[in-house]
Amino acid sequence: MYNLSNFGERLKELMDERGVNSPKLAEELNTDRSNITRYLRGERAPLYDNFLKILNYFNCSADFILGLTDYTAENAVFRQPQPFGGRLRYVIEMCGSTQYKMQKSGKFSGAELYGWLSGKKLPSIESLVKLSAFLGCSVDFLLGRI
């Protein structure tokens, strides 16, 4: 299971570096301030869309803010993420895996894979971390940002 405190610590670090407080970030992300507080405390992970907004706002690597790498990619130019279902299908094929292998491993259910691949559901932050580890790629690559 992914440790949410990593995300909260990195988010706090980015906010401090840029002089942004919780109310300001909440306003910029068009979300409730209590959500930002929960993220910072490691009580909740943002939903997919808010996660992307945070990445864009700070122009940072998804892998950095998730605590998966110490490289901030501060001056990097990230692409807009592609629709997740199509991107996941591409990454699965590129990494030499299949939906069957992913289900057989016991890490992913057929229902969740179908939801993601069909575009009917978006993954949680924990699922993004799990997918990137299984496929051997970065979260940024999985999202199509690099």
Side-chain angles (χ1 to χ4, degrees):
M1 183 168 177
Y2 175 70
N3 184 353
L4 284 177
S5 66
N6 292 335
F7 176 79
E9 290 169 12
R10 292 288 172 91
L11 179 59
K12 175 78 171 127
E13 185 180 320
L14 289 168
M15 289 171 66
D16 289 346
E17 284 177 7
R18 289 164 176 86
V20 178
N21 60 23
S22 294
K24 174 68 174 164
L25 184 58
E27 180 184 323
E28 292 291 329
L29 301 179
N30 196 27
T31 191
D32 193 80
R33 185 174 148 198
S34 64
N35 287 334
I36 304 300
T37 301
R38 288 184 190 118
Y39 303 159
L40 293 170
R41 289 183 184 157
E43 296 171 359
R44 171 190 279 180
L47 297 176
Y48 185 87
D49 290 334
N50 268 354
F51 181 60
L52 296 181
K53 287 179 187 179
I54 290 168
L55 297 177
N56 288 334
Y57 181 79
F58 290 109
N59 189 46
C60 69
S61 162
D63 296 278
F64 171 76
I65 201 166
L66 292 170
L68 303 174
T69 183
D70 289 331
Y71 175 65
T72 63
E74 203 169 292
N75 295 319
V77 177
F78 295 102
R79 293 187 297 234
Q80 283 299 103
Q82 300 168 1
F84 189 74
R87 180 63 184 182
L88 179 59
R89 190 175 312 281
Y90 169 78
V91 174
I92 289 171
E93 185 178 315
M94 185 177 180
C95 293
S97 192
T98 64
Q99 292 176 51
Y100 177 76
K101 286 180 190 176
M102 294 174 78
Q103 289 176 45
K104 189 80 170 160
S105 72
K107 296 187 186 302
F108 307 97
S109 74
E112 69 185 345
L113 283 170
Y114 171 78
W116 298 332
L117 291 166
S118 67
K120 294 182 179 184
K121 292 188 94 176
L122 292 170
S124 66
I125 301 304
E126 184 175 338
S127 294
L128 284 173
V129 171
K130 205 163 85 169
L131 281 164
S132 70
F134 182 86
L135 295 168
C137 66
S138 71
V139 175
D140 286 305
F141 182 77
L142 180 61
L143 294 172
R145 297 181 75 226
I146 58 171

